[in-house]
Structures are given as structure tokens and as C-alpha cells.
Amino acid sequence: MHESAALPILIVGGSGYFGRLLAADLLAHTSHSITLAGRRGDALELARTILVQDAAGDARRISTSTCSLDDQTSVRSIVSGCALAVCAAGPFQRLPLSLLDACLEQGKPYLDLSDDREFVRRVVNRVEGRGAGASLPPVFTAWSAVSALSCALARIGSPGWSRRDVMRIQIAPGNRQPRNRGTVASLLSSLGRPFEIRGKPRRVTGWSKARKFDFPEPVGRREGYLIEVPDYDLAVRWLGAQTVEFRVGAESGWLNAAASLIAFKRSVGALPDLTPLTGLFCAVMGLLGSFGTDSGAVGIELEGLDAHGSQVRSRVSVVAEHGGPGIAVLPAAIVADRFARESAGHLGGLVRHDDWITRRHLEDECARRHFRLVVE
């Protein structure tokens, strides 16, 4: 047992939606203590109360601590007393790297749930800027459904392949899944915004190029639209993929059509940035949520060559009939449990997204949470 086992797992942004999801998973499936951190003490205490009630857990396992990511001194202070630090704050487009810097200084494992491509690039550059020979703690960036789970599914779905030509990744959230402000703001900022992807076409706009993905039941066939995520960089880096596409699509066809129309009008300059209306969109999506489900899925379709040079295809998915939002924090929960218990000795610096978990291990972790890993 590593000496840090008695120290808590620190979750910065612990009163936010994904911070609370991760804390709930750790309370339900591990014995670790947790410190929820953030700027507002009242919000943290409310989150702590809800977690204790919902999980019927021991209140002594959850503590709170106020800090600001803009105040490096306060960040250093909370990191010093943790086994692993998780950044679940957001939106990541506006976050500093203060939590990462404190972890690098103190030799503490760092993990974030970022789905923002530029934030992940900044993390990678900061870590690699320390030098390959430097003694660094493990750094897990983009450790959510994007990109830790998607890249792991790609590896599981292509054992022994000599080449991965195409990776098409898609997320299917249910309508009843709560939309936190950070997620909605990120979505609105992406609509109609140009970005580059791997393969052809190389230059696309957010929420374009609709394509259907056949998820296992109960999710079924779902239409998805291209958005910008770290996978466009990380899947190429770790898996050598020639073409990478990432899509997301709502359960409601009405929401998909509305987002597609907004994206088109923004791409031709007919609409301004809509992120100031994030609160309104959250309210509307909340009303529509009563007509949907809380199921969810992450899936990936692969095309390439096997060890003998023959063309092969596969499809791999993680599906939740209920509690779909929990898929987003599954990779972080698995890694947080491991690194709060064990020495991180053999891992240092940026940790790969593709081979961090075996198929058998992921099947077991999914089963514990009533998810399914489906390999076709």
C-alpha cells in the first residue's frame, strides 16, 4: 500500500455537475475519502450534503476546501494534502494550468476531464516542456469519454491490427441527462466554428456532416454531428489513425435540427456567438429532457488492416440503459481509485490514452456500474 493511501482524492470543481458525478462514483465503488474544492463554500457544502444523502455514505469520507484556480498559493495548499488531484472545473476554454503546475511541483498525480482541444494541447506542451528526462508525476489529461475511453475502445476493437485507417467516434447522451452550464456553453461556442480534422475533409465546421451510428439497444441508431475534441490529436498520436471523426447527437431530433440550423447560420456570419444565452438554452433543454431517457452510450467504428494485411472492421461501445452520464467519469474513477491506492512509480509524465486498461478490466468495471461493453 502506498503511503498516500490515507490522503483524500481532491476534486477541484467538486460542486459542479461532473465533479459531483465523479465523487458519487468514488463513494459508491471505492473506500477513498474525497475533498471537494472550489470557489464557493456554500455550493461545496450543498454538494457534500447531497452526496452523503444520495449515496447513503459516511459523511466523514467527504470534506470541502475553498480555493481559486487563479490563486496559485491556494492551489498549492490544497494539492499538498491529496493523493491525486482532479480538475473537474470548467469550462476548460478559460481555465489556467495552475492545478497542473502545483502537481508537477509537488510530484502529485494530476487528472482532468477536459474535452477542449486547446486546453489539452496546453497541458501536453507544459508537461513535455519539462523534458523527457525529468522526474514527473503521472499526468492524465482528457481523461473522460473523450479521449481516455474512446482511445481505449479503439485499442480493444483492433487487437493485432497493423494499421488503423478510420476511427469514427460518437457519443449519444439521453435527453434527461442534466445539461450543466459549462457543457452547454462549450457546445454553443462550437456551433459553426471551423476546425481541422484528420483525413478528408480536413476543414469542417462544428455540428456539420451528419452521420448515423448504430449503438446497441436501448440507444439504437443515432444521428451525430462533427464537433472539435482532443481525439483529433490524441488518436493520431497514440493509435496512428489516418482519419478521425468525432460526432455527438442529442436523443431529440428537434434539438439536432435546431443546433444544425444555428451552426449553419453562424458559419455564414448570420448569427453572433450565442454563449451569452447559455442560461436560456439550459432551461429549454431541461424542459425537453422530460420527453427523453437517461440512457447513454459511447461508440467507435474502426476500419483498417489486420496482421495479415486483410481489410477489417469493428465496432465497440459502452452502453448504459440508465445513468448514462456516469460513462463520462468512468475512466477518471478507475484511475483515481488506482492511484490513490498504489504507487505511481512506473508511470511518469503524460499517460497514454489507448492502453491504460484491458478489455477484461473494463468489462468488470462496466458491470459494477450496470454498463455494458459491447464488441462487434
Side-chain angles (χ1 to χ4, degrees):
M1 184 72 68
H2 189 242
E3 64 181 2
S4 67
L7 297 176
I9 296 170
L10 173 69
I11 304 178
V12 178
S15 63
Y17 179 61
F18 289 108
R20 284 185 284 114
L21 270 180
L22 177 57
D25 188 291
L26 292 170
L27 287 173
H29 300 292
T30 77
S31 59
H32 302 301
S33 60
I34 299 162
T35 296
L36 306 177
R39 291 176 297 178
R40 292 179 49 200
D42 56 342
L44 292 169
E45 286 299 329
L46 177 60
R48 178 179 181 274
T49 300
I50 293 172
L51 284 167
V52 171
Q53 292 175 344
D54 289 351
D58 185 348
R60 292 171 297 181
R61 289 178 59 192
I62 314 176
S63 60
T64 64
S65 180
T66 56
C67 75
S68 170
L69 290 176
D70 294 321
D71 180 356
Q72 191 68 47
T73 300
S74 70
V75 174
R76 288 193 186 100
S77 176
I78 60 170
V79 165
S80 65
C82 76
L84 173 143
V86 178
C87 185
F92 281 91
Q93 291 89 335
R94 298 197 297 266
L95 288 189
L97 298 182
S98 51
L99 186 63
L100 170 66
D101 289 338
C103 288
L104 292 175
E105 291 170 5
Q106 300 182 34
K108 300 283 188 175
Y110 164 90
L111 185 150
D112 66 56
L113 303 178
S114 177
D115 61 356
D116 180 66
R117 190 179 186 181
E118 185 55 35
F119 181 89
V120 172
R121 284 174 172 172
R122 289 166 54 209
V123 170
V124 170
N125 290 338
R126 184 67 58 89
V127 174
E128 294 185 339
R130 292 290 185 109
S135 177
L136 299 175
V139 173
F140 304 85
T141 186
W143 216 260
S144 182
V146 180
S147 299
L149 186 55
S150 55
C151 285
L153 294 182
R155 177 71 71 178
I156 289 169
S158 58
W161 287 21
S162 62
R163 195 174 76 194
R164 298 172 185 86
D165 294 326
V166 179
M167 289 176 52
R168 295 189 180 96
I169 310 154
Q170 189 158 320
I171 289 182
N175 269 14
R176 287 187 184 174
Q177 296 183 15
R179 274 25 178 222
N180 70 312
R181 291 183 65 92
T183 300
V184 175
S186 178
L187 172 63
L188 290 176
S189 69
S190 73
L191 298 180
R193 186 177 66 194
F195 63 93
E196 289 189 358
I197 66 173
R198 183 78 172 182
K200 296 181 180 180
R202 293 190 61 84
R203 192 74 170 171
V204 298
T205 56
W207 211 268
S208 65
K209 309 292 181 183
R211 189 176 186 276
K212 289 181 171 59
F213 191 105
D214 290 316
F215 291 100
E217 294 298 332
V219 176
R221 176 166 286 195
R222 186 73 65 85
E223 191 164 64
Y225 301 79
L226 291 175
I227 62 170
E228 187 173 20
V229 292
D231 291 62
Y232 296 121
D233 301 321
L234 299 176
V236 175
R237 176 178 183 141
W238 303 129
L239 294 158
Q242 303 300 304
T243 297
V244 181
E245 298 175 358
F246 185 95
R247 290 176 171 85
V248 65
E251 185 177 12
S252 165
W254 184 90
L255 278 177
N256 287 334
S260 185
L261 178 61
I262 292 171
F264 171 75
K265 287 186 173 295
R266 284 202 63 198
S267 69
V268 297
L271 279 179
D273 179 15
L274 298 178
T275 51
L277 300 177
T278 296
L280 175 61
F281 277 84
C282 284
V284 172
M285 294 168 77
L287 290 173
L288 291 173
S290 60
F291 298 100
T293 69
D294 71 341
S295 62
V298 176
I300 181 166
E301 293 177 337
L302 297 149
E303 299 175 13
L305 301 180
D306 65 14
H308 305 290
S310 300
Q311 291 187 339
V312 283
R313 300 177 65 187
S314 69
R315 181 167 54 214
V316 189
S317 305
V318 171
V319 187
E321 184 173 353
H322 300 291
I327 295 176
V329 298
L330 174 63
I334 295 171
V335 163
D337 178 30
R338 176 185 175 190
F339 280 86
R341 289 186 293 108
E342 303 173 4
S343 169
H346 69 290
L347 287 178
L350 195 67
V351 180
R352 294 177 65 109
H353 293 74
D354 59 324
D355 64 355
W356 61 276
I357 193 168
T358 64
R359 174 174 175 173
R360 177 63 182 273
H361 188 187
L362 183 57
E363 285 175 335
D364 291 344
E365 293 291 348
C366 285
R368 292 176 68 197
R369 296 161 175 84
H370 305 290
F371 301 157
R372 287 183 293 130
L373 174 65
V374 181
V375 181
E376 304 172 77

